[in-house]
Amino acid sequence: MILIYGNQVTRGIWRELPDERLVEGWRAHAAVTGEVVASGELVVSAALADASLARRVPADGGAAAAPEADERLAGILLVDCESFERAVEIGSQLPEAPYGVVEVRPVLHDGGLEM
């Protein structure tokens, strides 16, 4: 799974981009997604709503609260590819990768790692 996080730096960058650069960023996402669709590696892709709309569900049944961490999950790509290295290659193509907010993590499947 390729996880895309947002933090104060990346949120500021996206907010301050001129419209044409913002369109370029979304096109870069579309290009990566299109590549993994064409190769048959994409399982699902989703951008997530702003973290201010998220709620942490407490185990003790108390009131749900907004997450406090500065770095918050902003989107995911679930890919089914031949190797972990290929998943890292895909993640490195995302426009957020240069900011260190893209994480690639194997998915556990039936008690083991799904590679």
Side-chain angles (χ1 to χ4, degrees), residues 94-106:
L94 294 168
E96 292 86 356
Y99 303 102
V101 295
V102 174
E103 176 182 0
V104 179
R105 190 184 306 181

Side-chain angles (χ1 to χ4, degrees), residues 52-96:
S52 66
L53 301 173
R55 293 294 175 264
R56 293 263 167 118
V57 180
D60 64 4
E68 295 178 15
D70 177 48
E71 200 163 86
R72 299 176 181 174
L73 191 59
I76 62 144
L77 282 91
L78 180 59
V79 294
D80 184 7
C81 46
E82 67 181 46
S83 68
F84 185 73
E85 290 73 21
R86 172 64 180 142
V88 170
E89 178 186 336
I90 295 166
S92 71
Q93 296 174 37
L94 294 168
E96 292 86 356

